[in-house]
Amino acid sequence: MRAPFGSRVSITINSIEEHIIPASDAALSRHPLVAHSTASSRLVRALRGDRPEVTPAWFMRQAGRSLPEYRALRSRGTMIEACLDPALASEITMQPVRRHGVDAAIFFSDIVIPLALIGLEVEIVAGRGPVFSHPLRTAADIAAAVEIDPALVRERGEAVVDAVGRTTAMLAEESEARGEPLPLIGFAGAPFTLAAYLVEGGPSKDHLAARRLIHDDPAAWRDLTMWLAEVTGQFLALQVEAGASAAQLFDSWAGALAPDDYRRAVRPASERALRAVREVALPAEAGIERVPLIHFGVGTGELLADMSALDIDAIGVDYRVPLDEARRRIERDLTVQGNLDPALLFAPEPVRTAAVRRVLEQGAAARAHVFNLGHGVPMDADPDAIGAVVRTVHEWRMP
Ligand code: CP3
C-alpha cells in the first residue's frame, strides 16, 4: 500500500531486507505543511526553535474521557475499534480543537495500534491500559514475535492513513475559521514503553519484567526492541506521510530506567524508530526539510540529557522538573514542551492562572516553548478549566 504522500521510505529489518519506495513530488506537495501552510503554524515554528508572538498550547490526552462529547461517541465498541474507525477517530481528534482552541490536534489512536495491526492480540481495558493475550515471556516467544514483518503496519494501515487524511481536511476548515494554520501531531510509543507492556502482558508499576530482561537476556532484549523500533517507526512515518506536521515519540515509562541502562539498552532502539520519520523526504515547497520530532517520558528528570542526545527538535518535560532547570539539564538548545502539573486543572482559578504563568516564565529559558501539561489530561478534569488554561497561555507575552 502507498500512503497518499508516499515518500522515500526504507524499511530495514535486522539489516537483511531493504525496500526503497521512491518519492512522488506531486503527492508530497499535497502535504499540509505545504498545502495548508502548517509549516508556519505556531506549533511547528516553536518546535523548530522560533518564538511566535503567541506561545502554542496543546495537551497530551486532550481527546478522551474528560470530554462529554467523547463519552457520547464512545458508548459502543472497543477502544481499538474506535482507533481503527476513520470517521470516528478523526471526529474524536477534532473535538478538543473545537472546544478548547488548542493550537494542534493529536491523532486519536494508541501506542499499541501498530501491534494490533500486525496481528498481536491486545485489548485496552478501561481504567487499566493495554493488555496482551500472549505476553512475551520467554526467549522463544520473542524469537517468534520478531519474525513478524514490520511492513505489515503499512500494508494494513489503511484506516490510519484514511483517519489522518480526514482529520487534516477538517483541520484545514477549522484553520480558515480561526485564521491560524492548525497542524496534526502524529505519535507512537517508543520501543522500551511498548516492550514494557509486551513482556509484562499489561500495565505494571515498576516495569520489572522489562528491566529484568535487559540483563537476563541482552540478545533477546535487543532483538525485541530493534524489531519494535521498526514496527512503531513505520506507524509514525505512516502518519507523517499521510499528513501529520509533527510527531511525538512517547517513552512514557523510560523514567523507570537507570541512565546507564537507558543509554545502552534503550536509546539505540528509540534512535532507530525516529530514523523512520527522518527518512520521509518533504518537498522543497514545505520550506522545511524535516518534520519536527518531540520526545517525551514521565519521570525522566534524570534522563533528560541522555534523551536530548537523540535526533529530536523538542523535549517533553513532565511536571517534576521546572522548565528552566530542564533547559540546564539538556545540554543543547532544544525547544521545551510542558509542563503544568495536571493537578492544577482542579485548583481555584487564581492558583491555576499563576501556575500557568510560572510555567511560561520558566519556559522562556529555552529557545522556544510549547505549552502542555506535565502528563495527560486526567479523565475527571473540568473541560472549562482546560479552555481557561489555553486562554491564559494565549494572552501571555514574552517579557
Ligand atoms: O488526545 C490524545 O492524547 C490522543 C490520544 C492518545 C491515546 N493514547 C488515547 C487513549 C495518546 C497520545 C495515547 C498514547 C498512549 N497510550 C500512551 C502514551 C501517553 C502517556 O499517557 O504516557 C500510553 C502509555 C498508552 C497506553 C494506554 N492506553 C493507557 C495507559 C491507557 C489508559 C487506560 C485507562 O483507561 O485509564 C490507554 C487507553 C486510552 N488511550 C484512552 C484514550 C482516550 C482511554 C480509553 C477509553 O477512552 O476508552
Side-chain angles (χ1 to χ4, degrees), residues 59-65 70 74 79 106-111 124-130 187 193 197 250 252-253 296 298 375:
F59 302 102
M60 293 184 276
R61 289 281 168 84
Q62 61 189 19
R65 283 171 297 183
Y70 172 81
R74 272 297 325 282
M79 174 70 187
I106 177 150
F107 185 46
F108 179 78
S109 190
D110 198 86
I111 58 170
I124 296 177
V125 178
R128 233 185 120 206
F187 77 91
T193 292
Y197 284 115
F250 282 95
S252 299
W253 313 138
F296 168 80
V298 181
H375 197 191

Side-chain angles (χ1 to χ4, degrees), residues 132-257:
F132 289 87
S133 315
H134 307 287
L136 306 183
R137 299 236 189 267
T138 64
D141 293 339
I142 291 172
V146 303
E147 284 301 309
I148 304 174
D149 187 351
L152 287 176
V153 173
R154 285 175 177 278
E155 285 165 25
R156 299 179 183 168
E158 207 145 355
V160 172
V161 173
D162 186 358
V164 169
R166 287 168 188 252
T167 307
T168 54
M170 288 195 270
L171 282 169
E173 251 174 64
E174 184 72 18
S175 303
E176 292 279 312
R178 238 198 266 174
E180 273 293 324
L182 292 169
L184 175 68
I185 303 168
F187 77 91
F192 172 75
T193 292
L194 291 173
Y197 284 115
L198 266 173
V199 301
E200 197 83 49
S204 65
K205 224 171 106 217
D206 49 14
H207 316 291
L208 188 60
R211 281 161 48 226
R212 274 183 59 173
L213 186 62
I214 290 174
H215 304 284
D216 284 356
D217 193 341
W221 173 257
R222 189 174 187 284
D223 288 351
L224 174 63
T225 50
M226 285 300 178
W227 172 76
L228 284 169
E230 293 296 340
V231 171
T232 206
Q234 292 311 312
F235 178 57
L236 199 56
L238 196 60
Q239 295 168 58
V240 167
E241 289 163 21
S245 295
Q248 176 157 321
L249 190 71
F250 282 95
D251 208 351
S252 299
W253 313 138
L257 293 160

